[in-house]
Amino acid sequence: MKTYKMNKAALNFIRAALIIVALVIIYLSFVYLSDYPIIMWLVIGLAAAVTILYTCVFLPIYFKSSRYTIGPKDIRKQAGMFFFSKQYMKLESIQYVSSIISPLSQFTGLNFVTINAFGGRIVFMFLTRNDALEIINYLEDYIKKRDGIE
């Protein structure tokens, strides 16, 4: 049984993207809302508060509490921030596996593995490149052995 966790590089990339978006919103509010100071300061305060809350509280909790487990007979995903969800899938029911591996994934951590089964889907998000490739290879080998494909 092997457990995978989300990549810290993805957390840092999402944090940086949120900060850049917040700075753009703050700049645009200075430029276009300077005639309306109350609205301008509300927009600036809201953008700063949401950015600080997500980058310092919500995202770290989500990344720390999420984990993916692949056992000899099943796949499990546990994720959440305040409300936790668990997903379970038997390896026997897997139809196909797909992946998204970004070109700069060692810096961004934007690697995803989608496992599709009869009536269900589990998405493993923000994996390291090596973890994503390891999961894909393991599941493809399992499917080939199960279906008798060489």
Side-chain angles (χ1 to χ4, degrees):
M1 189 170 261
K2 178 128 186 198
T3 301
Y4 300 94
K5 297 202 70 102
M6 290 185 173
N7 190 0
K8 300 283 186 197
L11 175 63
N12 293 331
F13 180 76
I14 294 170
R15 281 177 171 168
L18 280 174
I19 291 169
I20 290 170
V21 168
L23 290 175
V24 168
I25 290 171
I26 289 170
Y27 173 76
L28 291 175
S29 67
F30 270 125
V31 172
Y32 293 108
L33 296 175
S34 60
D35 293 337
Y36 309 101
I38 294 173
I39 296 173
M40 178 185 73
W41 288 111
L42 280 173
V43 170
I44 290 170
L46 187 65
V50 167
T51 302
I52 290 170
L53 201 59
Y54 270 89
T55 57
C56 296
V57 179
F58 293 150
L59 286 174
I61 290 171
Y62 185 75
F63 271 71
K64 188 174 183 177
S65 66
S66 299
R67 73 175 62 94
Y68 313 114
T69 306
I70 298 180
K73 295 188 179 193
D74 62 355
I75 296 171
R76 297 176 189 197
K77 175 184 177 181
Q78 179 181 347
M81 197 174 330
F82 299 114
F83 301 102
F84 296 97
S85 67
K86 293 181 181 180
Q87 289 180 299
Y88 170 83
M89 182 184 293
K90 289 187 175 186
L91 286 176
E92 299 167 355
S93 64
I94 295 175
Q95 287 180 319
Y96 65 94
V97 180
S98 60
S99 65
I100 298 173
I101 297 176
S102 61
L104 300 174
S105 62
Q106 64 268 20
F107 304 115
T108 63
L110 300 179
N111 300 308
F112 305 90
V113 175
T114 305
I115 304 162
N116 295 287
F118 301 114
R121 173 182 298 158
I122 293 180
V123 180
F124 290 3
M125 301 183 294
F126 307 123
L127 298 165
T128 64
R129 179 185 287 253
N130 292 336
D131 286 350
L133 293 174
E134 182 179 335
I135 291 168
I136 288 291
N137 290 333
Y138 176 78
L139 294 176
E140 284 178 349
D141 290 344
Y142 178 84
I143 292 170
K144 285 179 184 177
K145 286 179 187 175
R146 180 192 68 192
D147 295 343
I149 301 170
E150 299 250 349

